[in-house]
Amino acid sequence: MFAAEIRKKRVAHMRGYPQWRWHLDEVFVKVNGKLCYLWRAVDHEGEVLEAVVTAKRDKAAALKFLKRVMRSYGRPRNIVTDGLRAYSAAMKHCFRRSQPGLHTPLSTLRGPPRGAHA
């Protein structure tokens, strides 16, 4: 059995676990003399799920990282972060539900209200 198969079996088992929780963190690292950011996702048992190095520490980088982890491992039940605002902005983007007004009936959008004659 190869490492990829072992990981797939473990992730499939953990998705059913009621406390499937991720801890997200970013660390400053120097790569070839340049300051970069290492983003890591660790599950509740301490295994590193994903690690990504980016040049920026903003919403776009957090969103890219979060999408990459979710593509590989699905959605967690809980996410624990260190409070960086980029995480909350990225999570709002990833986990948003249907927006209010999205399913507004067309009759309310077609010009003046009924009964109002110009």
Side-chain angles (χ1 to χ4, degrees), residues 7 10 15 23 30 33 42 46 68 85 96 103 112 115:
R7 180 168 281 186
R10 184 181 174 283
R15 281 189 183 150
H23 294 265
K30 277 198 174 183
V42 180
R68 185 174 180 171
R85 293 170 86 184
R96 70 177 144 193
H103 301 291

Side-chain angles (χ1 to χ4, degrees), residues 51-98:
V52 177
V53 176
T54 62
K56 294 187 177 185
R57 186 179 169 220
D58 58 355
K59 177 187 170 185
L63 185 61
K64 178 181 175 183
F65 170 64
L66 200 56
K67 283 183 176 180
R68 185 174 180 171
V69 176
M70 286 177 56
R71 189 178 325 119
S72 299
Y73 296 98
R75 272 178 92 158
R77 302 236 191 260
N78 295 334
I79 295 180
V80 179
T81 67
D82 59 357
L84 180 67
R85 293 170 86 184
Y87 286 127
S88 60
M91 283 190 273
K92 282 180 187 175
H93 184 17
C94 280
F95 299 127
R96 70 177 144 193
R97 303 196 194 302
S98 61

Side-chain angles (χ1 to χ4, degrees), residues 101-117:
L102 188 63
H103 301 291
T104 305
L106 286 177
S107 62
T108 62
L109 299 175
R110 292 185 187 157
R114 293 182 193 149
H117 301 285

Side-chain angles (χ1 to χ4, degrees), residues 17-73:
Y17 190 71
Q19 296 300 320
W20 179 241
R21 182 178 62 238
W22 294 351
H23 294 265
L24 303 181
D25 191 25
E26 78 288 338
V27 196
F28 298 96
V29 294
K30 277 198 174 183
V31 178
N32 292 332
K34 289 185 177 181
L35 189 64
C36 297
Y37 305 96
L38 174 69
W39 301 78
R40 293 182 303 167
V42 180
D43 72 355
H44 63 278
E45 290 186 339
E47 183 169 332
V48 176
L49 301 175
E50 194 79 41
V52 177
V53 176
T54 62
K56 294 187 177 185
R57 186 179 169 220
D58 58 355
K59 177 187 170 185
L63 185 61
K64 178 181 175 183
F65 170 64
L66 200 56
K67 283 183 176 180
R68 185 174 180 171
V69 176
M70 286 177 56
R71 189 178 325 119
S72 299
Y73 296 98

